[in-house]
């Protein structure tokens, strides 16, 4: 109602301006606010937002601005905010409630800076570790991604409509952006429409239908030759018409211009503007020429005003819902009682702890303080704030800052945490950095070998650093860079017990560590409290319970190694069960598989059964597991359920995740867990692109990880073909 009223009073120029989103952090685009009637700015920090909003209020119709920001693991572009572990790191918790709470906090803090919209969460499926943006994802499983993303979106957008503590979410990058060839960011993606429907669209569908996400961002890339920005089927037919997207579609950075300057599908920028609009984009991020060129297109009669009106209406609707036309125009929660407050930081620590994945332990952990008198701490990431915070924190390239003063007050590195620990445990700590991630020449290997020879324990913090991940930073070589490997080998030569803390943006190829380290803890970019979390795991103050959401390749040539793979590669008869197909010079299994992670507790799966092994159409599958914590430590197990469709009209993965539960069990406790798999999850996309559950036998597999040896198989039979 109010949208239509306002639309009726807007000039053509004012309408086109509403579709513009320009950067506030560089260039002189803020000067254009009044002249171009700009509707949105991104990356607006400090007092800039209030000032711009005041100027917008003084324009003819006073249409408020909407400010977007990449608050993707906390509102990290503000130095007072709470930073969380990266999406990949936090996903190892498999904790939906935690996702919700982190997003609520981010929303409050973002709103306290006068901003209304985050370009988060990332729903890309990370199946190629070479890709620079793996850190931004929830890992490799589409269904898990949808589950975690839906909670995150609900957290950002608030429980009941937008209040002063809620912001718009943006599900990105639409779609299959992680699937570009060779892990090359924003390159071509050759996936089929059936694969899109099977794997890459479902998390977005859940974001729209279940979480009512307020916006989608179109990916940079092209799929099968069609840039996402001009794919009407994706943007309009699927997202808006079929799913009923209530929000709007924003392009990624310069996507419109790139149609002409990078993807060469438009002979000039004007055609790029035309095609972007017609495909269903509602807001154009950072293509300034969109304003004059679209006005020309309208004047020439090449764009019907109804197309513009529809896009403007979608944007205005969200501005109204946010209350920006009313009392919320200048509203921002009080910064001092909101930003980085203790209760928020506590959730960040909780996230760091829950994100820790213990990948290996020969019994050396938890550290026995009585037998550990001298600890040697080494490695580039033992005291590196940025490596701990990861990309899209203030230290990242997007904000142009590279020193580590940002969020320094908040951050506890491993070095700091161990220095504190040395006050309460009887060990002496020696720290030698030893190697750098990027500077190949830097090493103190001789000193390390000598120091390791007299140490009771060596803790090595290895991984990567900002320059090795993020946009423009894909890697062809995933081995430990710099002198990190040589440094670890020096410890081995000294015969010292070695515990590795892996602080990296994504899986690297670390078979040497798997073979030689006594223990391995993976935190990815574990956030400001990652150092504290590593320390708590080392000393058993916290019992790790995280599980990987992404597989670790043994070698870069083994990629892809995602668990939900297909058979057919000269498979032997048994391949269906144990995936025998492989390169002749490479093991068949990843180094560490999706879903894998250890604990200091011992969990026994005492029994597993399905409530009914005959499934009628629309009947859910109910799995019952009796789980026991057979240890004297309280602990957390993430019970996983996978599904295999034995014979189907099209090839299907050897298994795919369809359910899980995070279970906290006290020492000695035994509990029955019920996990319900909605019937719809048995579906596949058939050759005619229909979603169907096909009659026949399925295997439901229950256990501790995606590895066959960790799973119990329960056969079920679906009685009828069912179209969904
Ligand atoms: C480019 C990135 O691909 C996207 O994820 C981000 O939200 C925008 N730039 C805005 O910074």
């Amino acid at each position: 109602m109010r949208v239509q009223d306002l639309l009726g009073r807007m000039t053509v120029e004012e309408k086109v301006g509403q579709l513009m989103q320009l950067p506030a952090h560089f260039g002189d685009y803020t000067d254009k606010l009044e002249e171009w009637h700009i509707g949105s700015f991104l990356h607006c920090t400090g007092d800039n937002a209030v000032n711009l909003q005041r100027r917008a209020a003084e324009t003819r119709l006073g249409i408020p601005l909407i400010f977007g920001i990449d608050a993707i693991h906390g509102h990290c572009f503000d130095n007072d905010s709470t930073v969380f572990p990266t999406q990949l790191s936090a996903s190892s918790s498999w904790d939906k409630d935690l996702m919700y709470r982190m997003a609520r906090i981010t929303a409050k803090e973002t709103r306290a800076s006068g901003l209304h919209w985050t370009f988060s969460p990332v729903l890309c499926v990370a199946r190629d570790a070479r890709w620079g943006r793996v850190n931004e994802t929830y890992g490799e499983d589409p269904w898990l991604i949808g589950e975690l993303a839906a909670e995150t979106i609900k957290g950002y957008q608030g429980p009941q409509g937008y209040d002063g503590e809620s912001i718009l979410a943006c599900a990105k990058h639409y779609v299959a952006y992680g699937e570009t060839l060779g892990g090359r960011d924003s390159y071509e993606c050759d996936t089929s429409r059936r694969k899109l429907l099977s794997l890459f669209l479902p998390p977005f569908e859940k974001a729209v239908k279940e979480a009512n996400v307020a916006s989608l961002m179109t990916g940079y890339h092209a799929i099968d030759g069609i840039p996402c920005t001009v794919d009407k089927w994706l943007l309009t037919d699927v997202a808006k018409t079929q799913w009923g997207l209530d929000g709007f579609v924003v392009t990624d950075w310069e996507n419109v211009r790139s149609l002409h300057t990078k993807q060469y599908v438009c002979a000039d920028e004007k055609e790029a503007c035309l095609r972007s609009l017609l495909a269903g984009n509602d807001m154009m991020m950072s293509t300034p020429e969109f304003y004059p060129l679209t006005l020309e297109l309208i004047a020439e009669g090449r764009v019907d005003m109804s197309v513009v009106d529809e896009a403007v209406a979608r944007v205005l609707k969200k501005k109204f819902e946010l209350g920006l036309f009313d009392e919320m125009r200048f509203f921002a929660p009080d910064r001092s009682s909101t930003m980085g407050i203790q209760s928020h930081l506590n959730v960040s620590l909780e996230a760091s702890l829950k994100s820790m994945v213990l990948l290996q332990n020969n019994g050396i952990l938890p550290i026995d303080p009585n037998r550990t008198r001298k600890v040697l701490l080494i490695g580039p990431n033992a005291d590196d704030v940025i490596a701990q915070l990861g990309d899209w924190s203030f230290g990242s390239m997007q904000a142009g800052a590279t020193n580590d003063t940002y969020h320094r007050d908040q951050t506890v590195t491993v070095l700091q945490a161990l220095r504190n620990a040395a006050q309460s445990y009887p060990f002496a700590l020696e720290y030698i950095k030893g190697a750098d991630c990027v500077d190949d020449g830097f090493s103190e290997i001789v000193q390390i070998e000598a120091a390791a020879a007299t140490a009771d324990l060596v803790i090595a913090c290895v991984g990567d650093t900002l320059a090795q991940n993020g946009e423009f930073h894909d890697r062809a070589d995933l081995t430990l860079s710099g002198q990190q490997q040589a440094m670890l080998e020096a410890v081995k030569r000294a015969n010292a017990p070695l515990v590795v803390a892996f602080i990296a943006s994504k899986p690297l190829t670390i078979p040497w560590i798997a073979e030689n380290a006594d223990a391995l803890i993976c935190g990815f970019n574990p956030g400001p409290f990652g150092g504290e979390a590593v320390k708590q795991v080392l000393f058993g103050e916290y019992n790790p319970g995280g599980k990987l959401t992404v597989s670790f390749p043994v070698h870069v040539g083994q990629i892809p190694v995602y668990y939900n793979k297909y058979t057919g590669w000269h498979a032997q008869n048994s391949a269906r069960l144990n995936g025998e197909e492989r390169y002749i010079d490479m093991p068949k299994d990843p180094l560490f598989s999706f879903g894998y992670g250890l604990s200091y507790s011992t969990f026994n799966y005492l029994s597993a059964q399905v409530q009914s092994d005959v499934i009628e159409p629309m009947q859910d599958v109910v799995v019952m597991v009796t789980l026991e914590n057979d240890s004297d430590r309280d602990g957390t197990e993430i019970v996983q359920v996978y599904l295999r469709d034995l014979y189907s009209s099209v090839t299907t993965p050897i298994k795919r995740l369809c359910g899980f539960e995070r279970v906290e069990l006290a020492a000695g406790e035994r509990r029955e867990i019920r996990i319900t798999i909605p019937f719809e999850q048995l579906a596949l996309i058939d050759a005619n692109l229909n979603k169907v559950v096909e009659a026949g036998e399925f295997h439901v597999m229950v256990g501790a990880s995606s590895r066959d040896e960790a799973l119990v198989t329960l056969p079920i039979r679906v009685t009828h073909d069912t179209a969904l």
Side-chain angles (χ1 to χ4, degrees), residues 358-483:
L358 182 63
L359 288 174
Q360 196 155 298
N361 185 15
N362 66 5
I364 195 171
L365 296 183
I367 293 172
D368 180 349
N370 298 320
R371 292 169 50 193
T372 312
R373 293 287 176 252
K374 182 185 162 194
V375 173
L376 172 64
L377 176 67
I378 60 171
N381 290 347
D383 192 32
D384 185 327
V385 175
I386 299 295
Q388 237 172 263
L389 300 180
D391 201 10
W392 297 103
S393 59
F394 215 154
S396 74
M397 53 163 250
Q398 291 83 2
T402 49
N403 72 55
D404 67 356
T405 58
Y406 295 99
H407 301 286
R408 177 77 240 191
D409 294 347
Q410 198 175 96
T411 303
V412 180
T413 63
V414 179
L415 173 63
Q416 287 170 312
L418 287 181
R419 277 192 180 139
N420 294 341
Q423 311 295 315
S424 40
Y425 295 104
F427 68 86
L429 180 69
E430 183 176 2
Y431 167 60
I432 307 174
K433 181 177 175 187
D436 192 272
C437 289
V438 282
D439 179 357
D440 216 22
F442 178 81
S443 77
E444 295 158 309
I445 287 176
V446 178
Q447 294 93 311
I448 284 190
E449 193 168 340
T454 58
D456 297 314
L457 179 67
V458 178
I459 299 166
C461 299
V462 298
D464 64 12
T465 194
L466 191 61
Q468 297 168 308
N469 74 82
E471 279 186 79
F472 306 99
H473 296 142
D474 313 314
R475 289 179 68 181
D477 178 359
L478 294 175
T479 54
L480 285 178
S481 52
Q483 295 293 313

Side-chain angles (χ1 to χ4, degrees), residues 235-253:
L235 310 186
T236 301
D237 301 352
V238 174
K240 293 181 177 174
T241 309
Q242 277 179 38
W243 298 343
L245 173 72
D246 173 56
F248 59 93
V249 175
V250 61
T251 72
D252 201 344
W253 183 267

Side-chain angles (χ1 to χ4, degrees), residues 42-43 70 119 133 172-173 217 220 252 285 392 471:
L42 77 155
H43 292 184
D70 288 282
F119 303 129
R133 302 188 75 174
K172 70 184 187 185
H173 307 80
M217 185 186 291
Y220 285 137
D252 201 344
M285 183 192 291
W392 297 103
E471 279 186 79

